[in-house]
Structures are given as structure tokens and as C-alpha cells.
Amino acid sequence: MEASPRDIADPVGGQRWVFRRTGADTNGELLEADFYVTPGGFVREHVHPTQEETFTGVSGTFVLDVDGQTRTIRPGDHVVIPPRTRHGFRAASEDAHLLVQVRPALRLDDYFRTFLGLSRDHRIRMPVKGLPGPLLEVALLLDRFAPEIAAPRVPLWLQRPMWRVLARGARLFGRKPSYPEYGAP
């Protein structure tokens, strides 16, 4: 089997992730990556149900929204986001480079490979505002990676069964829940 890619870029979302260490490298304990964002790049608000995420500024200025508060990260600054905390960022105003650490790693690197690949290939869209889509593709993704990522503002006890039912419907319509073409089996 071919090794999963360690460098994933999505020009549509203005992101590039370069994995230094993944869960496979650290017995599931740590995901560590260089995260590069270009002007206009963004990440919709989301939560990690069981993971703590730490951002460390390397270059540029990065503005992060954490649980409704704006946090600016400059070189040398650290921001730690506890599990189940809403966070994301609006369109970046400049190039930025951050070191990101996530504990435990779970399969978050596979989520990034899949999500960025789907976005890059225009198979999924996550606008800054508005509904992501297509809905069945989003449901497959959020159901498969439920331990790693969840929608904000909707209780987990409600969204987990909702994504599961929609993902089941997606499979009935012939959609596949895995994407080996992105190195995420």
C-alpha cells in the first residue's frame, strides 16, 4: 500500500498542511503539522469533540475566532483550544505559517487529506457563510470522522445520529464513505 501523503494543499480553501508527525508516528498521541494559509484562506467554525489543538505562530499574522472571541496569533504566540470549543477563522488577510499540535491525534490527518482533497477537486464546498454541500457528501465526512470533528452550535447527541442517518442515505445513493484517492482509506 502506498504511503499517505504528508503534504496536502487546497488552493480553493487557501490552505496547505505539511504533517511532521501523525498518529501513526506517535502511537495515536500527537498530530503535529505546519499549517500555511494564503490571503483569502479560511476554516469554517467547528469543534473537536475530544481533542486539544494548539496553534503557535511562525510567520505572518493569523486571526482566529475562539468561542466567540477574536485571537490574533503572531510569531511566537500560542493559543490552546480545549476539546468541544468552537473555533475557526475568516478570510486571512496575509500569508501565515503556524505550527499546529493536536492531542490525541486520532485520525485527524486522514480527515484533512479527505476534506482538502474533496475541496480541491470541487467535490465539496464549505463557504465561509451559508450551507456546506452537497449535504450527503458532508454527512459522509462528518459521520466517518465524528470523533475528530463536529459542527458547532448543534449538540453532539443530536448531530451524531443526524449525520449517521444522512450518511446511510448517501450510501444508498451509491456514495462511498472512504476516499483512497486522497490517501485516506
Side-chain angles (χ1 to χ4, degrees), residues 6 21-31 105-106 109:
R6 294 184 86 82
R21 295 187 285 170
T22 66
D25 303 326
T26 64
N27 199 29
E29 292 185 28
L30 172 69
L31 171 65
L106 303 177
D109 58 310

Side-chain angles (χ1 to χ4, degrees), residues 85-143:
T85 302
R86 294 180 293 123
H87 64 286
F89 62 92
R90 292 170 252 140
S93 62
E94 64 179 78
D95 287 326
H97 172 199
L98 297 124
L99 176 64
V100 180
Q101 294 182 324
V102 181
R103 288 183 173 84
L106 303 177
R107 298 174 304 148
L108 193 60
D109 58 310
D110 284 337
Y111 167 79
F112 284 127
R113 287 183 186 94
T114 303
F115 174 75
L116 295 176
L118 290 168
S119 174
R120 180 186 60 235
D121 293 346
H122 302 283
R123 293 172 60 187
I124 196 170
R125 70 182 186 294
M126 289 283 188
V128 175
K129 294 192 179 217
L131 294 175
L135 182 60
L136 293 181
E137 206 74 47
V138 172
L140 282 170
L141 194 62
L142 291 178
D143 181 54

Side-chain angles (χ1 to χ4, degrees), residues 50-68:
T50 61
Q51 296 166 298
E52 177 183 272
E53 189 169 26
T54 302
F55 292 93
T56 301
V58 176
S59 66
T61 300
F62 184 78
V63 179
L64 184 65
D65 293 320
V66 181
D67 213 13

